[in-house]
Amino acid sequence: MTKSVALDLSAAEGVTPAPAPAARVRLSGMPDDRAMLRAAAELTRDLHTPKPLIYWSDFIASALVGYAGLAVAILAPAPLVAVLGAIVAILALYRAGLFIHELTHVKHAQLPFFRFGWNALVGVPLLLPSFMYEGVHSLHHARTRYGTDQDPEYLPLALMKPWTLPVFLIVSVLAPIALLVRFAVLSPLSLLSPKLRTIVVARYSGLQINPKFERRAPEGELKTQWFWQELACSLFAIGLLAAVFTGVVPLRAFAIYLGVVAGVAVINQVRTLVAHLWENEGEPLTVTAQYLDSVNVPTPGFLPYLWAPVGLRYHALHHLLPGVPYHSLSEAHRRLAGALEESSAYHKANYPTLSGLVRRLAANTMKVRSAG
């Protein structure tokens, strides 16, 4: 699955292949593009309200299609049908799972019960409760944290050794095993050991890629949400393992479930590789510099809707306007692209293909090796 996503997609996306990787731009000290920031604020004032019908219908449909695909993968006697079911399950559950990103930005009063519904249908069954993202992802958007060692979702991948990229992807394959251990083993044991609990909260309670990041203990409403979500995930993980060990759930079905969750994690990790250019050297950046270190892939095509759904084709625009819901990002992009001149920084964060971005990232790591 990883290879099929990461290979050259230029022809399938129906666009001209990306040019050779551009020279790395020094982001530190870059001034803000005031005209772009002003236009972003003024032209999108009416696009900040989430539409509950779109959220609920999109999410529920994605989840139902995903679980239907999983059922086919488990029950189909024909291997080809089972594989097709697994592919559908991975893509649909990936889309449903990415609504966790919206949960961190939307005002919950505007989408009543959506957090509960998301956790009940996807968060708990996939062992990805929203508390592992809420309170973490917001730090990635903090002006003084983005791209620094205090950013849980940033690594200077473009400045690291070439072997870091395959390792970055391979680790995601182990995600379902790690999540089972987290909730079936570490959660119960941490109740008996305050020291272990501190470690679990700091190191194993966030969807992060920065190994230096340590999470603080939750407070307020998040503390309550955390308790119930972790309890539900622990009961699900323990129940699932018990059902497998007692033969209630066949090993084949369990393996397919793990494979589907791993597939979701791998696609998300590939998408993460091209969400940013990963070229910051660890210094705080201006809003414009953060935008230029992020990526839009607005070119029309079928594949971007699969690997970057729920608005993530406009990741740079999202960093510019984090309060705009996913269903309004395409309109926001249309307005800004039409209003701003070609010399504007806005156009410099737009790229044609995933494959071109992967090649750029790989080429930059090779430059690091050569320099070493």
Side-chain angles (χ1 to χ4, degrees), residues 15-36:
V15 296
T16 303
R24 187 164 64 89
V25 177
R26 182 168 178 80
L27 299 169
S28 177
M30 177 180 291
D32 271 320
D33 183 332
R34 298 294 179 183
M36 178 183 72

Side-chain angles (χ1 to χ4, degrees), residues 59-72 85 88-93:
F59 164 63
I60 291 176
S62 299
L64 291 179
V65 170
Y67 288 125
L70 179 59
V72 169
V88 170
I90 289 169
L91 293 174
L93 290 177

Side-chain angles (χ1 to χ4, degrees), residues 181-203:
V181 172
R182 163 64 175 83
F183 289 107
V185 179
L186 295 182
S187 285
L189 289 181
S190 69
L191 298 178
L192 306 176
S193 170
K195 183 177 181 180
L196 177 60
R197 185 63 186 171
T198 299
I199 295 173
V200 169
V201 170
R203 307 288 297 179

Side-chain angles (χ1 to χ4, degrees), residues 226-295:
W226 184 316
F227 172 81
W228 289 111
Q229 292 172 25
E230 185 169 16
L231 176 61
C233 285
S234 292
L235 291 175
F236 178 86
I238 293 170
L240 177 60
L241 291 177
V244 172
F245 286 128
T246 58
V248 175
V249 173
L251 280 174
R252 178 179 179 275
F254 181 56
I256 291 173
Y257 163 80
L258 294 180
V260 167
V261 177
V264 170
V266 168
I267 294 181
N268 187 62
Q269 203 79 327
V270 172
R271 180 199 59 80
T272 300
L273 276 180
V274 298
H276 298 283
L277 299 182
W278 310 108
E279 295 179 356
N280 185 38
E281 298 178 353
E283 301 177 18
L285 302 177
T286 62
V287 174
T288 298
Q290 292 180 28
Y291 172 80
L292 291 176
D293 191 41
S294 305
V295 168

Side-chain angles (χ1 to χ4, degrees), residues 34-288:
R34 298 294 179 183
M36 178 183 72
L37 300 183
R38 183 168 57 253
E42 293 176 353
L43 296 178
T44 64
R45 295 185 190 279
D46 60 327
L47 299 179
H48 288 256
T49 303
K51 298 179 180 179
L53 181 60
I54 292 179
Y55 271 82
W56 279 106
S57 58
D58 190 345
F59 164 63
I60 291 176
S62 299
L64 291 179
V65 170
Y67 288 125
L70 179 59
V72 169
I74 292 173
L75 300 174
L80 178 59
V81 176
V83 169
L84 292 176
I87 293 173
V88 170
I90 289 169
L91 293 174
L93 290 177
Y94 170 57
R95 182 180 184 89
L98 282 181
F99 277 90
I100 193 175
H101 181 250
E102 292 295 302
L103 283 174
T104 66
H105 291 286
V106 73
K107 295 180 180 179
H108 294 292
Q110 295 178 315
L111 284 175
F113 304 109
F114 191 78
R115 177 202 275 146
F116 176 83
W118 186 89
N119 279 291
L121 284 180
V122 173
V124 173
L126 299 189
L127 298 178
L128 292 169
S130 62
F131 81 78
M132 296 187 74
Y133 207 53
E134 293 185 274
V136 173
H137 181 63
S138 58
L139 301 178
H140 178 56
H141 283 271
R143 166 72 180 272
T144 58
R145 286 180 180 258
Y146 175 90
T148 71
D149 60 2
Q150 296 301 307
D151 184 344
E153 298 180 25
Y154 197 95
L155 280 175
L157 292 170
L159 311 180
M160 300 173 77
K161 300 296 184 181
W163 58 263
T164 58
L165 298 185
V167 169
F168 187 77
L169 294 176
I170 291 170
V171 166
S172 63
V173 177
L174 303 176
I177 303 298
L179 291 169
L180 279 171
V181 172
R182 163 64 175 83
F183 289 107
V185 179
L186 295 182
S187 285
L189 289 181
S190 69
L191 298 178
L192 306 176
S193 170
K195 183 177 181 180
L196 177 60
R197 185 63 186 171
T198 299
I199 295 173
V200 169
V201 170
R203 307 288 297 179
Y204 307 119
S205 296
L207 299 179
Q208 62 201 61
I209 64 173
N210 179 2
K212 296 181 179 179
F213 176 76
E214 293 190 358
R215 188 172 190 179
R216 296 180 180 179
E219 299 178 349
E221 182 189 0
L222 181 58
K223 184 176 182 179
T224 302
Q225 292 287 337
W226 184 316
F227 172 81
W228 289 111
Q229 292 172 25
E230 185 169 16
L231 176 61
C233 285
S234 292
L235 291 175
F236 178 86
I238 293 170
L240 177 60
L241 291 177
V244 172
F245 286 128
T246 58
V248 175
V249 173
L251 280 174
R252 178 179 179 275
F254 181 56
I256 291 173
Y257 163 80
L258 294 180
V260 167
V261 177
V264 170
V266 168
I267 294 181
N268 187 62
Q269 203 79 327
V270 172
R271 180 199 59 80
T272 300
L273 276 180
V274 298
H276 298 283
L277 299 182
W278 310 108
E279 295 179 356
N280 185 38
E281 298 178 353
E283 301 177 18
L285 302 177
T286 62
V287 174
T288 298

